[in-house]
C-alpha cells in the first residue's frame, strides 16, 4: 500500500527552475521504478522521467539536459529538478510508483498531481 503526494508546483517564468517532490506513505525501497508524468490541457499524459531502485534513469527527449529525477530512500521521497523551463513544460505533473511482485503481478500508484505553469 503506497500513497503518493506531489508538491512544489507553481508559476515560474520561462528559463526558471522548479523542484517537484513526491512523498510516499511507505518506504520506497520496495518501489522498483518511480517516475514523473505530465499532462497538458487537451493532450495525452506523457512520460517525463523514471528512476529505478538502482538509480538508473531515463528521460523523455524533450526534457533531457534540463530535468533531473532522483530518489531519497531515507526520506521516502522522489524529486524532479526542472531547469530551463519553457511554456511547453506547462502541465499537471504526476508522480508514479511501480512495484513488481512474484508471478507477474504489478502494482501502480499515482499521486494527485501538481500544477506547473511556465509563463511570463
Amino acid at each position: 500500500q503506497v500513497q503518493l503526494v506531489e508538491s512544489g508546483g507553481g508559476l515560474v517564468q520561462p528559463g526558471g527552475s522548479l523542484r517537484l517532490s513526491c512523498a510516499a506513505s511507505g518506504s520506497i525501497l520496495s518501489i522498483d521504478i518511480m517516475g514523473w508524468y505530465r499532462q497538458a490541457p487537451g493532450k495525452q499524459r506523457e512520460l517525463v522521467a523514471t528512476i529505478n531502485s538502482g538509480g538508473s534513469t531515463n528521460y523523455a527527449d524533450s526534457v533531457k539536459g534540463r530535468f533531473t529525477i532522483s530518489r531519497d530512500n531515507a526520506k521516502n521521497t522522489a524529486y524532479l529538478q526542472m531547469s530551463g523551463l519553457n511554456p511547453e513544460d506547462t502541465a499537471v505533473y504526476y508522480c508514479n510508483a511501480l512495484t513488481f511482485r512474484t508471478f507477474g503481478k504489478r502494482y501502480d500508484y499515482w499521486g494527485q498531481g501538481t500544477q506547473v505553469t511556465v509563463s511570463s
Side-chain angles (χ1 to χ4, degrees):
Q1 300 292 331
V2 177
Q3 292 184 331
L4 306 173
V5 179
E6 301 97 333
S7 63
L11 176 64
V12 64
Q13 294 184 334
S17 299
L18 206 61
R19 188 177 79 159
L20 305 183
S21 297
C22 174
S25 61
S27 174
I28 62 172
L29 287 171
S30 62
I31 304 299
D32 295 295
I33 301 175
M34 296 201 71
W36 287 94
Y37 293 74
R38 67 185 182 186
Q39 186 168 25
K43 297 183 178 180
Q44 297 293 317
R45 182 185 64 186
E46 65 175 347
L47 174 68
V48 176
T50 63
I51 182 168
N52 68 13
S53 59
S56 180
T57 60
N58 286 285
Y59 297 92
D61 289 339
S62 60
V63 306
K64 286 182 179 179
R66 299 188 299 119
F67 291 10
T68 301
I69 187 172
S70 62
R71 59 193 292 174
D72 187 333
N73 293 332
K75 296 182 178 180
N76 297 323
T77 303
Y79 304 94
L80 183 67
Q81 178 65 52
M82 306 181 292
S83 62
L85 289 165
N86 57 64
E88 289 69 39
D89 296 315
T90 296
V92 176
Y93 285 70
Y94 297 92
C95 180
N96 169 257
L98 175 62
T99 301
F100 297 99
R101 294 287 186 262
T102 56
F103 302 105
K105 293 185 176 181
R106 294 168 50 143
Y107 296 90
D108 273 292
Y109 306 92
W110 293 91
Q112 83 288 352
T114 185
Q115 177 71 48
V116 172
T117 302
V118 184
S119 176
S120 298

